[in-house]
Amino acid sequence: MKTTTTILLLIFCSLAGYTQSPWDRIAQKPSTLGLDAGYTGLHTANFNLRLVKSSQTAASLSPAAGGADFTPGERLEKRDKDGMYHLGDLTLRWRPEGKQEWRSGSSAEKRAPVKNLAAGGSVLAAADLSSVFPDDIPVSVKRYWEVRGKDLVLRFELSNKGNGAVEIGGLGIPMIFNNILEGKSLDDAHASNFFFDPYLGMDAGYLQVASLSGKGKVLLVLPLPGSGFEAYSPLLQDPTPRGIAFEGFHEWMVHSKAFAETDWKGVQQWNRPTSSILKPGESKSYGVRFVLADSVRGIENKLRAERRPVAVGVPGYVVPEDVNAKLFLSHQSNIKAIAVEPEGAVELRMEKAGNKQWKQFSVTGKIRGRARVTITYADGLKQSIHYKIIKPEEQLVAGFGRFLMHEQWLEKPDDPFKRSPSVISYDYEKKMQVTEDSRAWIAGLSDEGGAGGWLGAVMKQLVLPDREEIQKLERFAGSTLWGGIQFNEGDRKYGVRKSMFYYEPEKMPPGTYSETVNYKTWSAWNQKEAESVGRSYNYPHVAAAWWVLYRLARNYKGLVSANTWEWYLENAFQTSLAMVRLAPHYAQFGQMEGTVFLLILQDLKHEGQTIKASELEAVMRKRADVWASLKYPFGSEMPWDSTGQEEVYMWSDYFGQHAKADVTMNAILAYMPTVPHWGYNGSARRYWDFLYGGKLQRVERQLHHYGSGLNAIPVLKEFRRKPDDLYLLRVGQGGLLGSVSNITEDGFGPAAFHSYPSTLAIDGLSGDYGSNFFGYAVNSGTYITHDPALGWLSFGGNLTKNGNRIDVTITTAGKSRVFIAPLQLWLTLDAGRFHAVSFDPETGKLWLQLEAGNEFTPDAYLRLEAGKKGFSPVGSFVKEREAYKVPLGNNGARM
């Protein structure tokens, strides 16, 4: 669920007794950073650095060749207060060796002028930080800004100044870059703001800082020796106002044992927490180096050039148990040892590599859940790679469907809000359905946070149709959806309401609302607000439900019986038009799941319904033409969003507006990284929807929220346009498998995974997960490609090479889509399932093996979309609606 900043802040301030914005209140605090003393300009071949003289923290950092300031220097005069972190600060936790209690301090907590130290040679500036740490701290802290080659180094030297050994259990280097979007237009934000994502890979770890536009240089933060990237901790004590326009700052944790024993106690961390002992008189250095990569795609090349270890996982780092995954490692030093935690969770076997720059391993998941692989190199560097082992996709999706249709199935004929029958939100921690919430939509079957359950259940049928589940969903669609969530008569016919649930106790029987729920909030909508049809984002969910039921009725025998395929397609068509007619304000923006409108248009064309197809296409072209006129057409209810890019790209591509499609793709790649970590790999940035669709409500980088599944749609579409760009395939598959990575062993689909090291677990509410699964359902496929360095690869299947022939057994849940990259051939099934695909790269011949049919699937419907040359099956096959009809029988079919 989303709402506007203005409403949220005004209500918050009113309840708190304030009339000022958080930024206004901060401005009234005393300035302590010492800006009046002026600044010092410093330079390396690659960077321009400006320091605040008084604190020697960064006032700005930018590329020497020109470009935006990586730091939030534009807000320096507002952020010059105690407790506000800047690049160059340090946080510490320590204790005398053998003691239990940890002490803490930071250079930002209470500002004072620091003591300048002599500079010269490679040292650009240096300072003694004693004045900004507690008087009784047993170590001295000195900071050095240094030049190494063309690049910049930030280094800290800790020295034990006492008579006893000191344990450093927390050492964090705040990563303060400009991700504050408050008050920015989209054009300004894409020009001047950055998003940054961690690779928590220990000595091989790094932070990538990329412009929102996805263009220009990328700042990479690399560890100095002994400063491995162990943890990534939010700086929650920094008072910079966090919210939908600011995710917050984090710190690079070199040591985190003190936190693991206190704030994060009992939570399994990404890496094993460490500490360091400083003996009396001993000194140790910690720090990071700043380098520039030419582009987002150029990050790995830059890492290799910097002699950093690089890992490439295929299909990624979410690995189904039945998938023969691969891991490629590149480093100039030999591998000394490999360790797996938990022991036996992942099996790695070295294979013969086709390229001397890479070492190649087969990877097999053995124990479900999180796993860490640690590689120790002969040069002493340690690299951690983070996997998530999941069930085979078919088992995972089947279990998801069972959970939805049993645990989340609401059968309550006397429900006062007429929500029965339906699939309703679920609290996994309480093991109960959510029929009340102060956020009306959560219990109201609409909006992303309330529609998530039934949307996921419907989309599951597109992947793995189940007759019993479909019968229940037809009951839901014919009563609760049609005439309930969606108006079926009058001026608002086909309009989608914001919520079935509302708070209006004077209209309801006593006892309807629990006294334990706080309904004194803006989100507890009354009936009028709940029945509003003006929020366009609610329409794709409903359109998707009608479209799936159409597909099931049209392509299968006897799965759907309540209505005809014509009726379902008509409803999908009319819902698409109603969005623009009844919700015109938000319809100007790209919608999550907006891909469904293109899928509906394609099926209208397949059915020969040219008049309706033309009408829908004209409506969508008007929207696309508006996007084409904007520099960054990614607006929404929010100041910045990762919601609209999916649909903007799909229509821009469809209408041949490739320049705008490219702009959109670059923006997606800026917030959708590929790193050797299952939680961040392909995880599209979102950080506020725990507030609106989660149980643990806070502003926090969400791992594999619905942005992962949805943004994977355009990324993989782009790969099919550019099949030589392996980077796209890796990012797209990371998001695709990320979209199902958080489904639990018993089938619960959570809103997302919490990234804060104090939690590192799934959210307890189902929330808006259905939108994520939509991305998997319409986009999951098997990709077969050849990379010059890595050889033959398959994503979504197990590949073997037999002579010249490439054989791939399909492992996706639906087994309905295959892309052969060297042929630019996209194979899709409207009904039926692929078992295996083989092709000969020398001759271009292709063989398909389809699974056996059943009573519901006597025939498969095969579509071919070729980018290079025409393909057609050998033999006599009837074409229906532009698809080849393939009789299956008891033995399937071979083509």
Side-chain angles (χ1 to χ4, degrees):
M1 165 63 194
K2 309 183 187 79
T3 186
T4 63
T5 314
T6 305
I7 292 176
L8 185 61
L9 287 180
L10 284 180
I11 292 177
F12 172 81
C13 293
S14 175
L15 292 175
Y18 294 112
T19 58
Q20 297 175 309
S21 76
W23 280 102
D24 288 337
R25 292 197 300 277
I26 285 174
Q28 294 178 353
K29 294 184 176 182
S31 300
T32 58
L33 194 60
L35 300 184
D36 291 345
Y39 306 90
T40 301
L42 303 169
H43 308 278
T44 76
N46 285 338
F47 292 100
N48 292 328
L49 172 68
R50 194 167 64 124
L51 298 181
V52 177
K53 282 187 177 181
S54 179
S55 64
Q56 275 199 18
T57 55
S60 66
L61 175 66
S62 58
D69 179 8
F70 289 113
T71 78
E74 62 190 8
R75 297 179 185 270
L76 190 61
E77 293 184 0
K78 294 183 177 180
R79 296 190 65 257
D80 60 348
K81 326 295 182 187
D82 283 349
M84 290 186 155
Y85 288 87
H86 300 272
L87 194 63
D89 277 318
L90 185 74
T91 70
L92 289 174
R93 285 195 181 184
W94 68 90
R95 65 186 176 191
E97 186 180 23
K99 299 296 184 180
Q100 293 297 315
E101 184 179 352
W102 293 100
R103 295 284 310 281
S104 63
S106 81
S107 59
E109 187 174 351
K110 190 171 181 59
R111 295 291 183 183
V114 299
K115 180 181 178 181
N116 289 347
L117 300 176
S122 64
V123 178
L124 300 173
D128 184 331
L129 304 187
S130 299
S131 61
V132 291
F133 278 98
D135 292 338
D136 60 350
I137 187 171
V139 297
S140 65
V141 182
K142 297 176 181 178
R143 179 182 55 219
Y144 300 88
W145 292 98
E146 300 174 339
V147 59
R148 293 196 185 176
K150 297 181 178 181
D151 299 316
L152 180 69
V153 164
L154 170 60
R155 184 173 64 87
F156 298 91
E157 184 178 283
L158 274 60
S159 301
N160 186 341
K161 61 185 181 180
N163 297 320
V166 177
E167 184 177 11
I168 305 298
L171 191 150
I173 305 173
M175 297 285 103
I176 311 301
F177 302 112
N178 193 8
N179 61 341
I180 306 174
L181 311 181
E182 185 70 38
K184 297 282 189 75
S185 69
L186 283 175
D187 286 7
D188 289 341
H190 283 79
S192 62
N193 287 105
F194 300 85
F195 285 140
F196 29 105
D197 284 293
Y199 165 37
L200 292 158
M202 298 301 291
D203 296 329
Y206 60 88
L207 190 78
Q208 63 183 62
V209 185
S211 166
L212 268 62
S213 69
K215 302 294 286 183
K217 300 282 188 179
V218 175
L219 177 66
L220 297 180
V221 185
L222 308 177
L224 294 183
S227 303
F229 205 168
E230 181 170 294
Y232 193 52
S233 180
L235 291 163
L236 300 179
Q237 63 272 36
D238 187 307
T240 307
R242 294 163 55 249
I244 58 177
F246 175 52
E247 175 183 350
F249 298 124
H250 287 68
E251 59 182 332
W252 173 305
M253 298 294 295
V254 177
H255 296 306
S256 60
K257 178 183 175 181
F259 290 85
E261 290 183 351
T262 54
D263 309 55
W264 311 341
K265 190 173 183 177
V267 177
Q268 178 191 354
Q269 295 301 309
W270 296 124
N271 294 299
R272 184 171 293 179
T274 67
S275 65
S276 179
I277 301 295
L278 272 179
K279 298 176 182 178
E282 184 180 10
S283 298
K284 289 187 179 180
S285 284
Y286 300 90
V288 293
R289 184 160 58 100
F290 304 96
V291 304
L292 293 174
D294 289 335
S295 65
V296 171
R297 281 184 175 84
I299 289 173
E300 288 171 344
N301 287 336
K302 182 62 176 177
L303 291 172
R304 277 194 288 270
E306 294 292 332
R307 303 174 70 83
R308 310 302 302 168
V310 173
V312 172
V314 175
Y317 307 94
V318 176
V319 178
E321 288 173 312
D322 61 340
V323 166
N324 301 326
K326 293 185 181 296
L327 175 64
F328 299 89
L329 298 174
S330 176
H331 187 42
Q332 76 276 3
S333 181
N334 290 327
I335 294 173
K336 181 178 178 181
I338 297 177
V340 175
E341 297 175 90
E343 186 177 355
V346 177
E347 181 180 274
L348 285 86
R349 293 184 179 179
M350 183 172 281
E351 298 179 338
K352 183 179 179 181
N355 187 301
K356 64 180 181 180
Q357 291 185 348
W358 296 93
K359 292 179 174 63
Q360 179 176 323
F361 295 83
S362 65
V363 179
T364 307
K366 296 294 185 180
I367 301 175
R368 295 172 191 162
R370 288 167 49 187
R372 179 173 67 244
V373 175
T374 302
I375 296 100
T376 302
Y377 295 96
D379 61 4
L381 291 184
K382 288 189 176 183
Q383 176 177 23
S384 58
I385 298 171
H386 303 269
Y387 282 99
K388 178 73 177 290
I389 309 303
I390 63 174
K391 292 180 180 180
E393 291 176 57
E394 186 171 347
Q395 292 182 28
L396 190 76
V397 171
F400 174 58
R402 285 192 296 271
F403 193 97
L404 289 165
M405 300 309 296
H406 290 86
E407 305 305 319
Q408 292 186 231
W409 180 255
L410 178 68
E411 192 74 61
K412 190 178 180 182
D414 61 346
D415 179 65
F417 302 100
K418 299 181 180 179
R419 296 169 294 182
S420 175
S422 68
V423 182
I424 201 165
S425 297
Y426 192 82
D427 186 325
Y428 192 65
E429 294 172 357
K430 293 183 177 179
K431 297 294 188 287
M432 61 183 293
Q433 296 174 351
V434 181
T435 56
E436 276 191 272
D437 197 284
S438 60
R439 300 160 293 181
W441 55 88
I442 293 292
L445 302 180
S446 196
D447 197 285
E448 295 75 73
W454 60 259
L455 175 62
V458 170
M459 297 312 302
K460 182 268 175 184
Q461 307 310 318
L462 185 70
V463 182
L464 289 176
D466 181 281
R467 174 66 176 131
E468 291 185 9
E469 293 175 356
I470 292 170
Q471 285 180 320
K472 294 171 78 170
L473 288 171
E474 283 190 283
R475 289 178 52 216
F476 158 74
S479 57
T480 310
L481 180 57
W482 185 239
I485 298 170
Q486 184 174 42
F487 290 101
N488 62 358
E489 60 184 4
D491 294 341
R492 293 186 290 182
K493 186 175 182 180
Y494 298 109
V496 180
R497 58 188 291 177
K498 290 168 64 176
S499 176
M500 292 283 284
F501 179 76
Y502 52 85
Y503 181 70
E504 204 149 347
E506 59 273 17
K507 292 184 178 180
M508 306 303 289
T512 298
Y513 303 101
S514 171
E515 294 182 358
T516 62
V517 178
N518 176 24
Y519 286 109
K520 296 180 179 180
T521 173
W522 66 269
S523 58
W525 294 330
N526 61 22
Q527 184 175 6
K528 181 180 179 181
E529 186 69 19
E531 291 182 353
S532 167
V533 296
R535 186 176 184 273
S536 62
Y537 300 98
N538 298 326
Y539 288 73
H541 316 322
V542 176
W546 297 132
W547 175 72
V548 169
L549 289 168
Y550 150 74
R551 298 274 291 195
L552 296 172
R554 188 65 165 119
N555 298 310
Y556 296 85
K557 303 293 184 183
L559 278 181
V560 173
S561 58
N563 284 292
T564 65
W565 66 261
E566 292 93 342
W567 190 83
Y568 288 122
L569 183 58
E570 176 70 10
N571 272 18
F573 165 69
Q574 293 292 352
T575 303
S576 306
L577 296 181
M579 180 190 75
V580 178
R581 184 179 75 254
L582 298 174
H585 174 68
Y586 288 132
Q588 69 181 296
F589 305 125
Q591 311 290 298
M592 78 285 290
E593 308 146 42
T595 299
V596 74
F597 302 127
L598 178 56
L599 298 173
I600 292 167
L601 173 61
Q602 291 171 342
D603 279 327
L604 288 171
K605 290 184 175 182
H606 294 154
E607 296 291 357
Q609 297 187 15
T610 55
I611 294 176
K612 291 178 180 177
S614 297
E615 184 178 0
L616 181 56
E617 187 173 75
V619 166
M620 297 302 167
R621 180 180 281 277
K622 286 182 180 179
R623 299 173 67 218
D625 287 344
V626 172
W627 300 333
S629 70
L630 302 174
K631 193 171 183 179
Y632 297 103
F634 314 130
S636 77
E637 299 161 296
M638 298 303 192
W640 172 89
D641 209 339
S642 56
T643 283
Q645 287 84 342
E646 167 220 340
E647 191 190 12
V648 169
Y649 173 92
M650 295 301 284
W651 285 118
S652 298
D653 176 73
Y654 177 80
F655 289 121
Q657 298 169 344
H658 294 304
K660 194 57 59 182
D662 289 344
V663 168
T664 308
M665 184 54 52
N666 287 330
I668 291 172
L669 296 179
Y671 61 71
M672 200 170 181
T674 178
V675 293
H677 191 302
W678 72 267
Y680 290 90
N681 188 53
S683 186
R685 177 166 250 91
R686 184 62 66 92
Y687 55 86
W688 58 78
D689 265 351
F690 279 141
L691 297 175
Y692 306 119
K695 183 174 183 180
L696 180 53
Q697 298 175 50
R698 63 190 183 198
V699 174
E700 172 185 15
R701 174 71 153 98
Q702 298 171 268
L703 300 185
H704 295 306
H705 178 261
Y706 69 66
S708 292
L710 295 183
N711 281 275
I713 297 173
V715 174
L716 290 176
K717 180 68 167 66
E718 180 79 352
F719 175 74
R720 297 195 295 274
R721 282 184 58 214
K722 301 174 180 177
D724 294 329
D725 192 344
L726 184 63
Y727 186 88
L728 291 168
L729 181 56
R730 291 168 56 200
V731 172
Q733 283 287 319
L736 183 74
L737 280 175
S739 71
V740 295
S741 64
N742 290 322
I743 294 176
T744 63
E745 191 73 14
D746 56 354
F748 170 72
F753 190 93
H754 287 276
S755 65
Y756 280 5
S758 58
T759 307
L760 293 183
I762 61 168
D763 190 70
L765 194 62
S766 56
D768 45 17
Y769 176 68
S771 297
N772 212 351
F773 192 79
F774 172 94
Y776 179 87
V778 304
N779 196 36
S780 175
T782 300
Y783 289 78
I784 304 166
T785 189
H786 183 269
D787 181 76
L790 306 182
W792 286 102
L793 306 171
S794 68
F795 295 69
N798 290 325
L799 182 150
T800 56
K801 195 171 185 296
N802 297 298
N804 289 331
R805 196 177 70 184
I806 305 300
D807 297 327
V808 177
T809 303
I810 311 303
T811 60
T812 59
K815 300 183 178 181
S816 59
R817 305 179 190 94
V818 176
F819 182 68
I820 316 292
L823 304 178
Q824 279 189 257
L825 179 62
W826 183 227
L827 308 163
T828 60
L829 292 169
D830 293 347
R833 290 159 58 88
F834 294 112
H835 172 70
V837 174
S838 302
F839 85 102
D840 187 332
E842 299 294 328
T843 65
K845 289 184 178 180
L846 180 68
W847 298 268
L848 307 179
Q849 184 178 345
L850 276 61
E851 290 186 357
N854 56 40
E855 61 178 309
F856 305 116
T857 319
D859 302 299
Y861 293 93
L862 172 67
R863 298 185 185 277
L864 307 178
E865 181 181 328
K868 282 189 174 180
K869 61 179 181 179
F871 286 84
S872 61
V874 176
S876 178
F877 296 96
V878 175
K879 289 192 78 172
E880 292 184 6
R881 294 170 285 126
E882 302 177 37
Y884 293 98
K885 183 177 180 180
V886 183
L888 293 175
N890 294 328
N891 297 316
R894 294 178 181 273
M895 304 174 65

